[in-house]
Amino acid sequence: MLGPPLAWMLIFYLAALAVLFVSAFWSIDAFTGKLTHAWTLTNFDTILHSSTYHQIAFRTIWMAVAVTLTDALIAFPFAYYMARVAPPRMRTILFVLVLLPLWSSYLARIYAWRLILNQDGALNWSLAKVGLPEQSWAFTNTAMWIVFSYIWLPFMILPVYAALERIPDSFIEASRDLGGRNWTTFRRVIVPLALPGLAAGSIFTFSLTLGDYITPTLVGNVDFIGNVIYRNVLGLTNNLPFAAAYATVPLIVMAVYLTLAKRLGAFEAL
Amino acid sequence: MATPALADSEPAAHPVPAAELDVRLDGIRKTYGDVVAVDRVDLEIPAGEFFTLLGPSGSGKTTTLRLIAGFERPDEGHIELAGADVTNRAPYERDVNTVFQDYALFPHMTVAENVAYGLRVKRVPRAERKRRVEEILKVVRLPELGDRKPVQLSGGQRQRIALARSLVNTPKVLLLDEPLGALDLKLRQEMQIELKRIQREVSDVGITFVYVTHDQEEALTMSDRLAVFNKGRIEQIGAPAEVYECPATEFVAGFVGVSNVLERDGKKFTVRPEKIRMQFDEAGDGELGRIRDVVYVGMFTRYIVELDSGGELTVVRQNLETSSQEALESRGKRVRLEWRPEHTFEIERGGNE
Ligand SMILES: Nc1ncnc2c1ncn2[C@@H]1O[C@H](COP(=O)(O)OP(=O)(O)OP(=O)(O)O)[C@@H](O)[C@H]1O
Ligand SMILES: [Mg+2]
């Protein structure tokens, strides 16, 4: 049953990836701007030896790590409350609240943040009201960090919620029965059993941050991997082979990341 | 049919001095909304006893056990463990351990880590922990499995590990909620014997077993004493032979063994099927009747006899001389049933403690 659709998917996915990978070894004629189908390592050479591209790659990875950690920290208590404390009605309400942003336009939400974080935006207005100094986060890494953490948060909450909700009450009772106080039970039973959920959520937050170019464009002022690729595909330079070569960077990072996540049982939690 | 040996010990009806008591429930009541799960239960279990809570589904056995463990708080009444009032203590403050029906082994820990859990959270030094875990794994006869994860065990093995995880803490009281419920018949019978062996083996530290089951045969064969639950109340407490042979209420007579209740001269009484002699002549004392049904069970045959003066009795006869053919052919025959007056027990309606 699963065979043919799966094969189909694989062909599509692998074909696209193969084309991407092959085209990374082509180049653009510097004068005519025409695609040259000759094998060359120029693109990889540029990426490996240009400090600009290093910086962009590290900045992107660093942001993905920061966003993932932030989302994990916010999502855990929230998901815990949802799964193990909230009465059923409250749980439904929270579920809707978590999902609600996903039903509205992603662009609109990022724009909304732009309005909030602007020098004369809603945040500074509120800060002034309560007598706090104003912030100037607009178009900084801080702004990107806040916005990324916000837009990907549901993708962390849901798998963590699923993992926490699945823990049978008898495990917690068994721990208490064997002498585990609340904190011990939390640390030795609940957190380890939620770990696969956290790992699964982190795959989403990490890879979504790694590949996004809209948030940096709208609320940031520096390049991310996604921006470089975008500009080379559709922008002035139109250097498709270079875009392809640079796109292998997040692919490799993700491959490493998935291997680590698998160790933590992320795929059993999905 | 379980036919327990006649207990020659005296009935344990008289109160035990408080110092030797491990568990004392005093007027315990627990409700869930409109449902009264446990209704004014009094219970005294002396140290080292194998005590069983027996009763049909929904009769409040699990709730009683959870109250003793501390997972639930009673609405009324007190719980004492080894003389101390623990009614308001958390589970981790009670010297009691539970074997859960679903075993509740932690899936992210190995067998050895599971068993060591209680010692670990109580900060028992590593060397002693290791020694005690190895020791208890030997007692449950699974010394080789320490490095496995729970998913890699069979049902019976999980059961033993769950037992080991509780026993390693040498609690005063061990609570077991239908621990053999998930096992097949053969394994269950093996584990019944195992459990008794293990209780004997740990008896030098004197662990009281409080065991929940709805299987009357299991209750009769394993317990020192048992309490029969019905609708949140205890109908009778006593040694297996007492409860079986002198059921205090109609409910007990019916639930423990075969009901065999007759009403004569406005009084109800019961007589156990194996105490009835069945004669095929109609001359003599006793009740006359007709065999309505015959159930051949191998070692013995069960006869359902319709009595002329009303009522029905089940009679059990060992197949000493009768073949299955002869037994089955006796259906419809006229018979005379005799029993000795001392084998009948008058019963009262409703709850009696
Ligand atoms: N958490 C709960 N919420 C509501 N009602 C409950 C709860 N736990 C038990 N009850 C009710 O209390 C009564 C006694 O339940 P209990 O689990 O003690 O029965 P039991 O004798 O263990 O039955 P079984 O043999 O089926 O396990 C039942 O009517 C049950 O529906
Ligand atoms: Mg139960």
Side-chain angles (χ1 to χ4, degrees), chain A residues 168 170-182 184-185 188-189 192-193, chain B residues 66 71 91-92 97-98 100 102 104-108 117-118 120-122 165 169:
Chain A
S170 67
F171 287 2
I172 288 155
E173 284 175 353
S175 170
R176 288 163 64 79
D177 185 73
L178 292 164
R181 285 161 188 278
N182 298 345
T184 310
T185 301
R188 292 200 185 274
V189 177
L193 290 175
Chain B
R66 291 174 59 80
F71 302 136
Y92 48 77
N97 284 123
T98 308
F100 292 82
D102 64 355
L105 295 174
F106 303 127
H108 58 292
Y117 188 85
R120 181 153 194 183
V121 302
K122 278 174 223 126
R165 185 176 68 172
N169 305 294

Side-chain angles (χ1 to χ4, degrees), chain A residues 130-253:
Chain A
V130 293
L132 288 170
E134 71 171 18
Q135 50 78 28
S136 46
W137 292 332
F139 307 107
T140 63
N141 285 348
T142 311
M144 280 191 277
W145 169 66
I146 292 172
V147 174
F148 270 135
S149 299
Y150 164 79
I151 52 174
W152 307 141
L153 186 59
F155 297 95
M156 181 64 92
I157 290 178
L158 294 176
V160 176
Y161 166 82
L164 285 170
E165 205 255 349
R166 250 197 313 233
I167 302 175
D169 288 339
S170 67
F171 287 2
I172 288 155
E173 284 175 353
S175 170
R176 288 163 64 79
D177 185 73
L178 292 164
R181 285 161 188 278
N182 298 345
W183 172 243
T184 310
T185 301
F186 181 76
R187 198 163 53 91
R188 292 200 185 274
V189 177
I190 296 174
V191 172
L193 290 175
L195 212 54
L198 279 166
S202 77
I203 292 175
F204 293 124
T205 56
F206 190 82
S207 62
L208 288 169
T209 310
L210 216 53
D212 192 72
Y213 64 91
I214 296 177
T215 306
T217 311
L218 291 181
V219 299
N221 68 346
V222 284
D223 272 342
F224 273 49
I225 294 175
N227 303 91
V228 174
I229 294 169
Y230 175 78
R231 232 181 295 116
N232 277 295
V233 172
L234 292 171
L236 295 171
T237 40
N238 202 11
N239 189 340
L240 212 55
F242 183 78
Y246 206 41
T248 58
V249 174
L251 274 180
I252 291 164
V253 173

Side-chain angles (χ1 to χ4, degrees), chain B residues 117 207 214 235 237 280 322 329:
Chain B
Y117 188 85
I207 301 182
H214 57 248
E235 298 252 339
I237 300 183
F280 288 92
T322 31
E329 274 168 5

Side-chain angles (χ1 to χ4, degrees), chain B residues 134-179:
Chain B
E134 278 170 9
E135 212 170 88
I136 202 73
L137 285 178
K138 267 189 217 130
V139 171
V140 298
R141 304 215 163 126
L142 292 175
E144 313 293 323
L145 300 188
D147 294 329
R148 296 231 194 133
K149 285 282 178 75
V151 285
Q152 299 167 310
L153 302 179
S154 73
Q157 289 170 336
R158 272 179 224 180
Q159 210 285 319
R160 283 162 196 252
I161 296 305
L163 195 62
R165 185 176 68 172
S166 293
L167 283 173
V168 76
N169 305 294
T170 57
K172 277 229 140 31
V173 183
L174 184 70
L175 307 173
L176 305 105
D177 192 356
E178 307 205 20

Side-chain angles (χ1 to χ4, degrees), chain B residues 302-315:
Chain B
R302 199 179 290 140
Y303 300 86
I304 322 275
V305 179
E306 245 169 27
L307 298 176
D308 297 348
S309 12
E312 215 174 65
L313 283 181
T314 302
V315 182

Side-chain angles (χ1 to χ4, degrees), chain B residues 30-33 35-38 55-64 66 72 101 177-178 212-214 229 232:
Chain B
K30 175 75 191 173
T31 54
Y32 295 105
V35 182
V36 183
V38 174
S57 187
S59 58
K61 309 177 298 287
T62 297
T63 307
T64 306
R66 291 174 59 80
E72 311 279 353
Q101 183 164 10
D177 192 356
E178 307 205 20
V212 164
T213 182
H214 57 248
F229 273 70

